[in-house]
Amino acid sequence: MLKTALAGLRAHTLRLLLTSLAIMLGVGFIAGTFVLNDTVEAGFAQRVTADAGKVDVAVLPRSAGSVLPERMLERIRALDGVTDAQGLVRGAAPLIGKDGKTVGNLPTTAISIVSGPLDRADIVAGTGPGTDDRAAVLDENTARAQGFRLGDTITVLDAGKAEHRFRLVGLLDTGVDQELSFTGAVGFTTATAQRMTDAKGYREIDVAGSAPGLKQAVAAAVGGSYTVKTGDELAADLARAAGVETRMFTLGLLLFGVVAMMVAALVIYNTFNILVAQRTREMALLRCIGATRGQVFGSILLESAVVGVLASALGLLLGYGLAALTLTVLGALDVPLPTDAAVTLSPVTVAAGLAVGLVVTVCAALLPARSATRVPPVAALRSQAEEQTFRAGLRRGLFAAFFLVAGFGATTAGVFVLEAGRDVSLLVVMAGGSLTFLAVLILGPMLVRPLSALVGWIPGRLFGVPGRLAVGNSGRNPKRAATTTVALTIGVTLMTLISVVTASTRLTMTAKLDEQFPIDYSLMDQSRDSAIPRSVAESLRGTPELASVVQIRQIEATIGGRHVITGTFHGPVEPYVTAGSMADFGAGRVALRDSVAEDLGVQVGDSVRLRTTEAGTVPLEVVALLDGNQGALPPATVAETAFDTYFGATPDSRVMIRIGDGVPPERAREVVDAAAAPYPTVQVSSSTEVRGQFDETLDMLLMIITGLLGLAILISLLGIANTLSLSVHERTRESALLRALGLTRRQLRGMLSVEALMLGLIGALVGVVLGGVFGWAATMAMLDGAVFSVPVAQVVLFVVLSGVAGVLAAVLPARRAARASITGSLAAG
């Protein structure tokens, strides 16, 4: 039987080509994910270890935000065996761009660049500042974005907002430091960094030395209030932290890999199922000459194992190439990943890829192999294999009903019942979707015939006899058709779901932006502090281009023993009041956000005590509760005159502006920019820009996810092509008979193309319905006050593309069928 199985593989290599492609793509996606993750992690660890390898001992504060006192550095330098010790400074120092405004949404981070053996800065162009207090370095991303070059003069603000100018002498690679990658970095000498940030200590002290027991000596010198690590321990911690940042990225890719393998498994199952049906006489002959059921079963599994191993090996090579291509693209797009690391294919990845491909292939072949054992020896006497029939039994109906009820029950609970948090609700909805999909999978063969009649109504009339024959063929073997369309249904379901969630999220967030920020422009200090002079808003209020100007002032205060942001407003504001009233809002009264009131345990009519530096402790009556999800008022809002009495003449923290009717936005923007120009840290943003950034993020996400799901679509189309190819082979005699009765080659090709079109449309329609329903459920579970939206154009495009792709998948099988000899096919049958 072993020789027979291997001979069968050699004789029918083309028969399993499309199956091998499905396995290869699925394994390639998973292997590529592992390779990409291994490469990125290796690059992170390599770069971090190279930096930390220069350090023998590092001293760090135990809590984030704390610093090490300057006297500690001198104490460490005085220890025996210490050859060098350097304190590292880090703090905010806003960089001024060429437009005269501070760069970024957050202040640029200033860091100290030390000289000597403990220099851990990765200068990729130019030099470090050395001992020159008038020199500085910038991270390469910020320099590129702002158009700064070596030799330019850059302007940086110190802690007191005073401007200082430096000569740009070098460009810095921030490596794996997430904070520096986000804010940007400007590097100085240690003394300059301390002066610019007004730092009262160090964020880290690095120590070099070769004396035995150096770590213990340093730990004894600094005391137990600080963390002391060796260079190797520091490198391991930093590498581990870098690896954590890539974990969600890896899990996301693996999720799509699992989807691809699930679709591939359905294609493999369908392929072996058809192959077994076509080889009925072959199996029966083997039984006639003495083969046992176990030997027949083993031969099918052997075929699947050989195909699985070979296709998985090719999938590993494909995955390696995909990972290398991905890293090349990321490098071209300047994505902050260590894309310069060599692409690595670890033994674990090889083993995992081979194991996944082999297990999925063999498992998918189990049921067809079991069916092969049931072929009776008498089947060898038949001139033609019998067409498989499908009967919807009671057991199938009961299982489908159970999964359907459980799925819709879980989905309903996730959307309407659960109050355990958005994450839990979303997980319950996902579980409900999975159960419902299982029900659809079970009901698939029962749905094919009515859906074929529905989808085929127009083609049956447009294409005449070939169209009507195609409608009949699509419903003749509903189990095979259902398995084929399920592969496409998975991809279309996920793509529709993502599109619905994206469109609904965009519409919901736009509506919330309109409600919360019914403004055109907003002024805010980069540090988010109350630092906007009141004169800015006053100058804007007198301009004819602007309809309204609202000032928000706030400061942290103590209310009821808790730290609460307390503020006021000046200008036309419509508060979102959920309880009480602000009709007679004045001194001695306060409006609280509902969440703050809940934390303090107070309601409308209760009294709270506000502690201030100017007025001491002041009793306030709670007169209103505000909706915390809407509006821009501070968590605790008091009247304007009362606020000045309690806290003094505090500057504005935010200014909200609405332009007048009929005023061109460009003209209004000029007025706003002119008012903010004298203050470099005061940034101007518009609601249009905020929406634009949000839309760009969603569109980028949608593009990435669509590209990844495209792999599942590709595999499912291979499944359709595979099914049609094998179906053409199975119906060789039937096609020849149709040709003999007068069907032309063109009509035969048309019949098979229409059949593929219907399979594609059936899978797409079921996917659209499932994706739309569970896209709605996911949106309602994720977003508070969600606004449901269906991107009709995208959904129609999915259906059309599925139909077109199905037709394209039928080109080669239809061509092969049309070229076959009539007499030869009749004789072969």
Side-chain angles (χ1 to χ4, degrees), residues 394-436:
L394 178 62
R395 186 171 58 178
R396 178 181 291 268
L398 290 176
F399 272 109
F402 170 76
F403 284 119
L404 201 60
V405 171
F408 275 109
T411 304
T412 303
V415 175
F416 298 109
V417 179
L418 288 181
E419 297 181 356
R422 296 289 172 189
D423 294 342
V424 175
S425 297
L426 184 59
L427 288 174
V428 172
V429 167
M430 290 173 62
S434 302
L435 292 171
T436 305

Side-chain angles (χ1 to χ4, degrees), residues 720-741:
I720 293 177
N722 201 14
T723 301
L724 284 172
S725 295
L726 296 171
S727 179
V728 165
H729 178 74
E730 184 179 356
R731 295 182 300 185
T732 300
R733 184 181 177 86
E734 175 189 319
S735 298
L737 187 59
L738 289 173
R739 291 284 315 283
L741 291 174

